């Protein structure tokens, strides 16, 4: 009964955003995003977590399609600038479909930050704005590569792709969703995208690319490069790095950390 009510709340929010109706070119993956969220954190007491992360994943999917499928390069640059300014007054230069998208994201983040501040007293808007801005900037880089006919090196691609997979966005929201006391050292790890975030995002990105590389707008490697160079050769982790991951995991609540690992497992297992 609780899950049914939760589903109703999410669907009602989705309808109110107007994204499904006005952005018909984008994927409507609300159900899939909800089921994925249930798979990453299925604790019965975390219904609020599942509601918020479902919204996060749905917004990521929509924005990804704006950059990958529909927007012109000029429009995407304007949209990225609007996200960076984080001001509703900056929407005037955007086309109508982008105004709807920006307003949906802006309202969601501000409402979520307000709820977090009411519960914990912590003002989380700067961190939330930063991760969404970095995601859109990563999407824009990929769009520029595509429109310019540019094929990046593997290292250049991965430096951007671990951000565009959006794991850090989900992780940051998850951190503020789990009841715990916020510590400055934890927030520094979030701010600097510590290795526990970065490396798990790399794994998710590479696993995702294994299943989608033939349809990706920017080829990861040419056929000759793929034959002569192992795909995972440059992203192996040393014992020192693995120890660092274990140490950094202590900065985050186990539910947040485990949720991130579950996301990585789901992506990797799906391909």
């Amino acid at each position: 009964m609780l899950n049914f009510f939760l589903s109703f709340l999410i669907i009602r929010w989705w309808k109110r955003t107007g994204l499904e109706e006005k952005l018909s070119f984008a994927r409507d993956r609300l159900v899939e995003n909800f089921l994925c969220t249930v798979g990453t954190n299925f604790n019965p007491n975390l219904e609020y977590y599942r509601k918020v992360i479902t919204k996060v994943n749905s917004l990521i999917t929509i924005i990804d399609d704006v950059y990958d499928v529909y927007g012109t390069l000029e429009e995407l640059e304007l949209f990225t600038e609007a996200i960076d300014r984080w001001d509703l007054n900056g929407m005037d230069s955007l086309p109508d479909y982008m105004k709807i998208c920006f307003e949906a994201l802006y309202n969601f983040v501000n409402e979520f930050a307000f709820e977090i501040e009411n519960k914990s007293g912590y003002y989380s808007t700067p961190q939330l704005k930063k991760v969404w801005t970095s995601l859109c900037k990563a999407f824009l880089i990929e769009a520029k590569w595509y429109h310019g006919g540019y094929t990046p090196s593997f290292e250049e691609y991965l430096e951007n792709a671990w951000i565009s997979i959006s794991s850090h966005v989900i992780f940051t929201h998850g951190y503020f969703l789990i009841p715990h006391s916020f510590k400055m050292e934890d927030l520094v790890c979030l701010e600097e995208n510590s290795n526990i975030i970065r490396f798990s995002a790399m794994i998710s990105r590479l696993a995702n690319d294994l299943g989608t590389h033939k349809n990706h707008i920017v080829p990861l490697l040419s056929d000759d490069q793929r034959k002569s160079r192992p795909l995972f050769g440059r992203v192996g982790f040393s014992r020192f790095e693995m120890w660092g991951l274990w140490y950094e995991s202590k900065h985050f609540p186990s539910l947040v950390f485990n949720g991130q690992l579950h996301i990585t497992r789901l992506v990797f297992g799906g391909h």
Side-chain angles (χ1 to χ4, degrees), residues 1 5 21 43 55 124 144 165 169 188 214 219 226 245:
M1 185 65 182
F5 182 65
E21 178 184 356
N43 188 311
K55 293 179 180 181
S124 59
K144 287 181 176 179
I165 196 63
V169 178
V188 169
K214 291 183 179 179
R226 194 176 294 110
L245 291 179

Side-chain angles (χ1 to χ4, degrees), residues 16-50:
R16 286 178 175 176
T17 64
L19 294 170
E20 177 189 19
E21 178 184 356
K22 300 296 177 59
L23 278 69
S24 57
F25 61 86
R27 292 166 291 172
D28 181 3
R29 295 288 177 84
L30 188 66
V31 174
E32 292 92 330
N33 287 326
F34 175 71
L35 293 176
C36 179
T37 304
V38 171
T40 60
N41 254 319
F42 41 80
N43 188 311
N45 298 323
L46 295 179
E47 63 271 8
Y48 180 60
Y49 173 96
R50 288 187 286 275

Side-chain angles (χ1 to χ4, degrees), residues 103 223 245 262 265:
E103 189 172 7
D223 290 339
L245 291 179
H262 286 319
R265 291 188 185 112

Side-chain angles (χ1 to χ4, degrees), residues 8 15 20-21 25 38 66 80 95 105 115 121 124 131 135 137 140 165 170 201 211 218 251-252 256 262 267 271:
F8 170 76
K15 296 293 185 182
E20 177 189 19
E21 178 184 356
F25 61 86
V38 171
V66 167
T80 307
L105 176 62
E115 291 173 356
S124 59
V131 294
L135 179 65
K137 287 182 177 179
L140 180 61
I165 196 63
I170 300 169
V218 181
H251 288 300
F252 302 109
V256 180
H262 286 319
V267 174
H271 300 294

Side-chain angles (χ1 to χ4, degrees), residues 42-162:
F42 41 80
N43 188 311
N45 298 323
L46 295 179
E47 63 271 8
Y48 180 60
Y49 173 96
R50 288 187 286 275
K51 182 181 77 171
V52 172
I53 297 301
T54 298
K55 293 179 180 181
V56 170
N57 284 329
S58 298
L59 288 169
I60 289 171
T61 303
I62 290 290
I63 294 172
D64 184 34
D65 286 347
V66 167
Y67 280 86
D68 270 4
V69 177
Y70 198 78
T72 66
L73 187 56
E74 182 181 359
E75 289 173 345
L76 297 177
E77 289 174 339
L78 291 173
F79 184 77
T80 307
E81 290 172 3
I83 296 292
D84 195 24
R85 288 195 301 269
W86 203 250
D87 183 3
L88 285 176
N89 294 325
M91 292 197 309
D92 295 340
S93 60
L94 299 177
D96 289 342
Y97 77 95
M98 282 186 168
K99 289 179 181 178
I100 296 170
C101 187
F102 177 81
E103 189 172 7
L105 176 62
Y106 182 89
N107 289 338
F108 163 74
V109 170
N110 287 341
E111 288 170 7
F112 175 58
F114 179 74
E115 291 173 356
I116 296 302
E117 189 171 9
N118 275 345
K119 291 180 180 179
S120 67
Y122 183 78
Y123 181 63
S124 59
T125 301
Q127 281 92 352
L128 299 175
K129 172 186 173 293
K130 180 179 178 180
V131 294
W132 283 105
T133 301
S134 66
L135 179 65
C136 289
K137 287 182 177 179
F139 285 161
L140 180 61
I141 288 174
E142 292 179 348
K144 287 181 176 179
W145 288 344
Y146 171 68
H147 287 281
Y150 175 70
T151 301
S153 67
F154 178 67
E155 290 78 8
E156 186 180 8
Y157 169 79
L158 195 59
E159 184 61 30
N160 187 71
W162 78 263

Side-chain angles (χ1 to χ4, degrees), residues 221-229:
L221 294 172
S222 68
D223 290 339
D224 291 339
Q225 288 174 315
R226 194 176 294 110
K227 291 176 182 178
S228 63
R229 185 171 166 189

